[in-house]
């Protein structure tokens, strides 16, 4: 079982809640951000926290990187990035490919290659 992940002795969910409340507080005191921008900002924060947890726990970092990139692109588009869906798909596909190529170097098989070979068939 993996150790419980804390950041500065606090649960990651507590940090996300604090961030979301700070965004709402900033809007209440004059920050001009629509509800969509607030939602996208919180989504990027959640994806960043997922990435941080994956790095700390050393588990599923590749998936967390891809999720963070997807959330970041969604926020950028929401803030006015004028990219077609085709361009977005190409960028996210490239990110997925690069992360997949990196992941491949980080994973080891649980069984040695020699024991994974199929047994020879006798008499054929």
């Amino acid at each position: 079982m993996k150790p419980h992940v804390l950041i500065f002795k606090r649960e990651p969910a507590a940090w996300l809640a604090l961030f979301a409340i700070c965004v709402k507080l900033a809007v209440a005191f004059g920050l001009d951000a629509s509800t969509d921008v607030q939602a996208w900002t919180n989504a990027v924060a959640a994806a960043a926290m997922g990435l941080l947890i994956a790095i700390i726990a050393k588990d599923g970092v590749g998936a967390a990187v891809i999720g963070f990139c997807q959330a970041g692109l969604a926020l950028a588009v929401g803030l006015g990035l004028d990219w077609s869906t085709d361009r977005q798909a190409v960028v996210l596909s490239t990110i997925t490919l690069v992360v997949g190529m990196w992941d491949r170097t980080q994973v080891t098989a649980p069984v040695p290659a020699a024991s994974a070979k199929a047994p020879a068939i006798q008499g054929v």
Side-chain angles (χ1 to χ4, degrees), residues 47-108:
M49 186 61 71
L51 177 59
L52 180 62
I53 291 168
I55 291 168
I56 291 170
K58 296 179 173 79
D59 185 34
V61 175
V65 168
I66 293 168
F68 178 71
C69 291
Q70 288 173 332
L73 182 58
L75 176 61
V77 169
L79 292 173
L81 179 65
D82 188 22
W83 279 6
S84 68
T85 54
D86 291 345
R87 180 175 280 181
Q88 293 174 49
V90 167
V91 168
L92 287 176
S93 296
T94 303
I95 291 168
T96 302
L97 176 64
V98 169
V99 169
M101 290 178 70
W102 175 80
D103 253 355
R104 179 67 179 100
T105 65
Q106 307 303 308
V107 177
T108 55

